[in-house]
Amino acid sequence: MEAAPVPEGQHTAVVYGLIASGRFAEAVSLLNRGLQKSCRSRGCLSLLGYCHYQLQEFAAAAECYEQLVALHPQLLPYRLCHAQALYKAGLFAEALRVASPLLDVPAFHRRALRLQAAVHYAQGDLPAAQSLVEEELAAAADGGSGAAEDPSERADAEVNLGCLLYRQGRHEEASGKFASAMQVLGYCPELSYNMALCSYAAKQYHAALKYISDIIKRGIHQHPELNVGMTTEGIDVRSVGNTLLLHRTALVEAFNLKAAIEYQLRNVRAAQEALTDMPPRAEEELDPVTLHNQALMNMDSQPTDGFGKLQFLLLQNPCPPETFGNLLLLYCKHQYYDLAADVLAENAHLTYKLLTPYLYNFLDAIITCQTAPEEAFHKLDDSAGTMTEQLRKLTKQVQEARQNWDDEALKKAINEYDEILDKYIPVLMAQAKIYWDMKNYTMVEKIFHKSVEFCKEHEVWKLNVAHVLFMQENKYKEAISFYEPIVKKHYDNILDVSAIVLANLCVSYILTSQNEDAEELMRKIEKAEEQLSYEYPDKNTYHLCIVNLVIGTLYCVKGNYDFGISRIIKSLEPYNKKLSTDTWYYAKRCFLSLLENMSKHMIMLRDSAIQECLQFLKQCEQYGRNIPAVIEQPLEESGMHNGKNTVTYEARLLRALMYKITGWAE
């Protein structure tokens, strides 16, 4: 930002005025002008370094302090500032080198120790960091060299110890250290955030959200200029920048943690809102954690942007440690197995640093599955076997803890059991998918049967068992026994249930002659959709439409095209609310099957039914101009032609085929 011209003789007063009012960018502009006149000015360099630090431009701040150290080596505070700026800029080796001489100066000994501990902590060298923190605490206790009597010095050391305890997984002890430091220092948003993080790591989400709520309320009350929540409300506001004030409020960290909690609880909309609620910044100003969370939580709606952000972060140093694993998992989810293999090969140094053995083995098996499914199955089976043994041991520990009335041991064993089970389920599903893709549903059922001992209460397991029973076409009653509890659990909010689950349950009812149950379920869905439409008139819902489409498809598969196609046509009315990429997918499959059988003269359709089909396709042409026929993969280099990838284009093709096969003239 360019500062206004300054009257002669008032340069210093204006600079200090700008700094006092927090206008650091303008102060930087004025100070740079001053440096052009006197490049060795101590005052200019010192203030410039301070302003850059306040703007979190740490590399630029380090350059200023480096010049000051060279010009005034006797002034040790500049050396300390230089080391701190290097640390903040992620230049850890240089920060250690610059701070090292200060260890021999009593007045700076403890601060240099603390800085070196922070550097080792950031590098992941926890033993070295702990050694330095303990040395600082010992110095304070003994009143030895460099020991300060200020209670805040001791509190800072306690905070550092709390950070180490957190990294060691001792979350409750860590939270205690942060709480005791807050008693000494007074309320501090950063410490409150640390306690929220400890609660989050211990899966105590309610407690974590309480700390977060406190941080946000105080931030809004004390700093309304940070425009919290304005972006979510659709108000166009300017960036607040990456100021030290923003950092001290811990608002960015709090909103990121809130988003993570909501995402873990599968409240994706709330997670997205948490990210837009944070103080507004331009995309180039976003910190790595925010950028990572934006990519992850908007992946379903903006996959191309999401992949771009994660790929960018992977090239930065440092980047959030979860970036590497999440990028690989998302590549596999979107079936970019070659890209996942390439990223693994190109970043072998990150494999051991950022991937747990479990995650590496899982990804390795998933990628191997594309070329050698049998080998992949055995790799997954080895992982599953290891976890099965762990689950059995933990089951025994849970039983023993209950018998001994040991609540602490019981809580610990249950938490460990849940963690292992959450790892076991994806491995089990990956094994099942190998045979699912081969359409060997009997083998899939056997795999699930082997895991019933541990998974019988797990929602994902029950849902997939229901699907595999449904697909075998002779076990609809068994499928109902698994689908029904899922639906009844959410019966009061039935639209929270996946449409395909409701459709499969209805089909199962029909095929087991339980038509009344199917009709009752469909009435329930219809009432729920009517209520939602009344409350949110602009919101489209597709549950009943998809149920009818699946039922229509069932009749078409059984050869009753007359009734099946009629059901499909009615399910998409009104077209402006029911026609979408997904619903069109179900409809066009049945029309293609109908046309294939008609071209082979295997079926005959009444003239009135053909006329109904043609009219339906005309309506799809009219309303499908802006609806993609296919959702394209996010990283495809050569996408489909925009004009061809529409429901209108495909409906017109189907209508042309129908005219050709029936011999009708348009």
Side-chain angles (χ1 to χ4, degrees), residues 7 32 49 162 276-277 342 379 410 475 484 496 503 601 611:
N32 278 325
T276 54
D277 277 345
D342 290 344
K379 286 182 177 182
L410 178 63
K475 295 188 176 180
E484 269 186 345
D496 290 344
H601 301 289
Q611 188 62 50

Side-chain angles (χ1 to χ4, degrees), residues 35 38-48 68 71-72 74-75 78:
L35 275 181
S38 176
C39 64
R40 297 165 66 88
S41 167
R42 174 184 161 191
C44 267
L45 283 169
S46 180
L47 289 172
L48 191 59
L68 285 164
L71 292 168
H72 308 281
Q74 75 282 7
L75 297 175
Y78 288 138

Side-chain angles (χ1 to χ4, degrees), residues 533-560:
S533 181
Y534 177 75
E535 293 172 5
Y536 304 98
D538 297 329
K539 187 171 183 178
N540 294 339
T541 52
Y542 301 103
H543 281 63
L544 188 62
C545 174
I546 288 174
V547 169
N548 279 311
L549 282 168
V550 171
I551 293 171
T553 303
L554 169 69
Y555 280 99
C556 289
V557 169
K558 299 291 183 184
N560 189 349

Side-chain angles (χ1 to χ4, degrees), residues 344-363:
L344 265 177
E346 290 165 7
N347 297 278
H349 62 292
L350 296 178
T351 301
Y352 302 102
K353 185 180 176 184
L354 300 179
L355 297 184
T356 61
Y358 160 78
L359 185 53
Y360 173 77
N361 291 334
F362 179 73
L363 288 165

Side-chain angles (χ1 to χ4, degrees), residues 193 242 246 251-257 259 271-272 274-283 285-298 309-310 313 319-320 322-323:
Y193 168 74
N242 279 318
L246 178 62
L251 282 168
V252 169
E253 292 83 355
F255 278 116
N256 271 314
L257 186 56
Q272 291 168 340
L275 292 179
T276 54
D277 277 345
M278 69 172 62
R281 291 172 293 165
E283 188 165 73
E285 295 174 329
L286 294 178
D287 58 286
V289 174
T290 302
L291 206 61
H292 169 272
N293 288 348
Q294 280 188 353
L296 199 62
M297 291 166 203
N298 295 296
K309 286 172 181 175
L310 293 174
L313 284 171
C319 75
E322 297 83 2
T323 303

Side-chain angles (χ1 to χ4, degrees), residues 18 31 74 96 105 335 360 375 379-380 430 436 476 512 533 549 571 607:
L18 290 171
L31 290 165
Q74 75 282 7
L96 288 172
V105 182
Q335 300 183 9
Y360 173 77
E375 183 186 343
K379 286 182 177 182
L380 291 166
W436 179 278
Y476 292 114
T512 53
S533 181
L549 282 168
S571 71
D607 285 359

